[in-house]
Amino acid sequence: SIPLASANDWLKINAGQQALIRVAYTPAMTKRLHGAIRECSLSTVDRAAVLLDAYALAKAGAAPVEAVVELLKAYDNEANSVVWDAIAGVLNGLNTIMEGIGGNVYNGECSFKTFASKIVKSAFDKVGWEEKATDGHPEKLLRSTIIGLLDVFCADDQQIVKEAKAKFDAHWTDPSALSADYKGTVYKLVLKNTEDASAYES
């Protein structure tokens, strides 16, 4: 038993991921970590590890999937490419699980798909399609990771689809209009939103 001074204090086991173990936090411990994740008080590797541990335990049946979804809410301010790589893996994994369940759990008004779409859309609104002059390698990786989720989680967002279609149309005469980093995503967004067979032939 480790005493904590206040409700905002938290404890991260296996800090820095020095040991090859999974950590199963109690719900109370996880809730305490939410603030540290949101404020980035935890290191990059530890923010990613908390989520990946929770997901691994849920896949193994040792923790509820709902706990992973609740934990994902703490990453709403995340802007690190390494952590977003973990988020992307978890979102895609959960999507496969929830799709198998189907029904309103997967695709209803308060479904996982709606929840995941909000997370991805919020992150995309921050990074956008275009590379910035100040971008370094981490920023480019972050943008590529987030855009890579759009065709799975935001294919119904008409603004995103409109922008993807504009890039798709433009790149036939101007290849620079569509970055190779997310060409596949743009193609999928367009094809998921067209009834024109000629788009497939292109």
Side-chain angles (χ1 to χ4, degrees), residues 4-170:
L4 298 174
S6 75
N8 295 324
D9 285 350
W10 47 270
L11 178 67
K12 168 65 174 67
I13 298 173
N14 193 25
Q17 297 304 106
Q18 300 298 311
L20 298 176
I21 60 173
R22 295 292 189 190
V23 178
Y25 295 98
T26 66
M29 292 175 75
T30 302
K31 188 174 182 179
R32 285 177 174 271
L33 284 169
H34 281 203
I37 292 168
R38 184 169 285 112
E39 297 166 6
C40 296
S41 301
L42 277 175
S43 70
T44 298
V45 67
D46 284 330
R47 295 199 306 279
V50 169
L51 180 60
L52 291 174
D53 282 356
Y55 177 58
L57 290 164
K59 281 202 301 181
V65 172
E66 292 82 1
V68 185
V69 174
E70 190 64 28
L71 181 58
L72 277 165
K73 296 177 182 178
Y75 293 82
D76 53 358
N77 292 324
E78 188 57 59
N80 183 277
S81 61
V82 173
V83 182
W84 256 101
D85 187 60
I87 294 171
V90 171
L91 285 175
N92 281 320
L94 287 176
N95 188 63
T96 300
I97 294 171
M98 296 300 187
E99 190 174 20
I101 296 172
N104 289 332
V105 172
Y106 177 64
N107 210 22
E109 186 176 343
C110 299
S111 66
F112 168 75
K113 193 76 175 285
T114 300
F115 166 75
S117 175
K118 289 179 180 177
I119 291 178
V120 175
K121 179 62 163 56
S122 176
F124 174 69
D125 286 343
K126 295 172 185 174
V127 300
W129 292 103
E130 307 303 335
E131 183 178 324
K132 299 176 178 64
T134 55
D135 283 353
H137 186 60
E139 288 76 21
K140 293 177 183 177
L141 284 177
L142 176 65
R143 180 176 297 103
S144 178
T145 298
I146 293 170
I147 289 178
L149 295 168
L150 294 180
D151 64 282
V152 177
F153 298 106
C154 297
D156 295 331
D157 187 298
Q158 291 309 301
Q159 182 59 38
I160 288 176
V161 172
K162 180 180 178 181
E163 293 166 355
K165 182 67 164 58
K167 291 185 173 297
F168 178 83
D169 290 340

